[in-house]
Amino acid sequence: MSRRLPPLNALRVFETAGRRQSFTEAAQELGLTHGAVSRQVRLLEDWLGHALFARSHRRVTLTERGAAYLGEIGPALDRIAAATARQIEQRSSRLLRVNALATFTLRWLIPRLSAFQMAHPHLEVRLTTSNARIPDLKDPYDVAIRGGPDLVPGHVAQAFLSETRIPVCSPALIDRQPLSCPQDLARHTLLHSATLPGVWAQWLVAARVPDLEPARSITLEHFYLTLQAALDGVGVAMGPTALVADDVAAGRLVVPFDQPALPARSYYAYVPESFADDPAVRSFCGWLRRTAQGSRTAQA
């Protein structure tokens, strides 16, 4: 069945003029002259057989029929533009902006990101790190990865990775100084992170040795530095299970005792509501969930 369509260029000009309520502003938006806008609108009116604008000295206003027509034409053109954008995304690189916590990015996201890139070659991920609260972020983003659950106004939150905290250290450290029970920590160096100052104290209480005094304590500025110090055999760190799983699996770190395990905040993808239905964002968040599920299955 053939469609009876009006002149499409005239339709686009009419939508702009109607939305702007001005031929002059429509001409500026479209890069046309005032006369060209007027001619295109007149062409559409002649094709339809009735006026769309009431014209007065230096002013135009939509007629009742013109306003009704604009109410249907505007959303239709928006859908055409959105469909066209999706087609263009599929043949060209689409930039996906992801802001994530620094340690999570280094320890979990980057080692797995190549799998997402291979599955979605048309998406270019621009990855930035920050520990700032989402409302305090200055640069634009499509997805922000933070702990949760938190209520962030204007965002949709999706949980994808849970974790607990347990002591971890290098195998070489245990070779030098055995570590078979929590009391043995009195002969070891405990590694602290300035961003998580109370984690060791909480764990020692849970392990029923609240008064234990370690041989030494070292505090590092960032958590990823604390984990690196553990890898290098400097001491024992409180490792988030999700972020040390790869090192434990590879034998670079060991878990001297896996109980008690401190509860920790889960990782969430926070998406601005305006991007919630964006195909690229949905692909990335779906990949996060599937990858996290795969990690839990492998650990089990």
Side-chain angles (χ1 to χ4, degrees):
M1 179 179 175
S2 62
R3 294 184 177 89
R4 191 181 180 207
L5 297 175
L8 296 182
N9 190 49
L11 200 66
R12 183 172 71 102
V13 172
F14 159 70
E15 188 278 333
T16 306
R19 175 165 41 83
R20 293 281 195 169
Q21 292 283 296
S22 168
F23 284 7
T24 301
E25 291 184 15
Q28 292 172 347
E29 180 176 326
L30 296 170
L32 301 173
T33 64
H34 184 283
V37 170
S38 180
R39 286 192 295 273
Q40 289 294 320
V41 171
R42 182 70 70 184
L43 174 65
L44 182 59
E45 290 176 324
D46 291 345
W47 194 90
L48 293 171
H50 58 261
L52 297 170
F53 288 95
R55 295 161 174 82
S56 60
H57 182 63
R58 294 186 178 179
R59 186 182 177 192
V60 294
T61 56
L62 286 163
T63 65
E64 184 177 347
R65 296 178 75 173
Y69 195 44
L70 178 66
E72 296 187 73
I73 293 303
L77 291 178
D78 287 341
R79 288 195 297 271
I80 292 171
T84 303
R86 286 193 291 270
Q87 290 295 317
I88 291 173
E89 282 180 10
Q90 292 174 8
R91 66 172 176 81
S92 62
S93 179
R94 155 71 198 280
L95 182 63
L96 181 66
R97 301 163 300 182
V98 178
N99 183 282
L101 297 166
T103 303
F104 172 84
T105 300
L106 288 170
R107 310 294 302 180
W108 194 92
L109 185 54
I110 287 178
R112 293 163 173 80
L113 194 57
S114 62
F116 177 79
Q117 295 277 225
M118 287 189 290
H120 303 274
H122 64 286
L123 295 179
E124 176 190 344
V125 178
R126 177 173 294 172
L127 187 57
T128 57
T129 63
S130 172
N131 291 338
R133 296 170 58 251
I134 291 176
D136 297 332
L137 291 176
K138 304 300 183 184
D139 295 327
Y141 57 89
D142 302 309
V143 181
I145 297 175
R146 294 293 188 276
D150 287 335
L151 178 62
V152 183
H155 290 69
V156 177
Q158 305 174 30
F160 67 92
L161 183 65
S162 60
E163 69 176 7
T164 56
R165 297 185 186 278
I166 53 177
V168 293
C169 61
S170 74
L173 184 68
I174 290 183
D175 289 343
R176 297 197 306 267
Q177 184 66 261
L179 187 55
S180 57
C181 64
Q183 288 80 357
D184 291 340
L185 289 168
R187 295 192 293 272
H188 284 268
T189 298
L190 300 190
L191 302 173
H192 302 263
S193 171
T195 55
L196 294 167
V199 173
W200 263 118
Q202 295 172 27
W203 189 88
L204 292 173
V205 169
R208 300 181 179 180
V209 285
D211 298 323
L212 184 140
E213 290 291 336
R216 297 173 204 81
S217 290
I218 297 177
T219 300
L220 295 104
E221 183 179 5
H222 296 292
F223 192 63
Y224 58 82
L225 297 177
T226 305
L227 290 180
Q228 187 59 52
L231 285 164
D232 291 337
V234 177
V236 186
M238 285 298 299
T241 51
L243 304 191
V244 299
D246 292 345
D247 291 307
V248 171
R252 293 185 292 269
L253 289 175
V254 294
V255 179
F257 16 80
D258 57 9
Q259 292 296 330
L262 287 182
R265 282 159 59 86
S266 297
Y267 287 101
Y268 277 69
Y270 295 90
V271 177
E273 290 176 348
S274 56
F275 293 123
D277 293 324
D278 183 280
V281 171
R282 290 170 60 184
S283 294
F284 185 75
C285 291
W287 171 80
L288 286 175
R289 291 192 299 272
R290 291 189 301 273
T291 304
Q293 179 61 46
S295 298
R296 288 193 292 270
T297 302
Q299 290 173 37

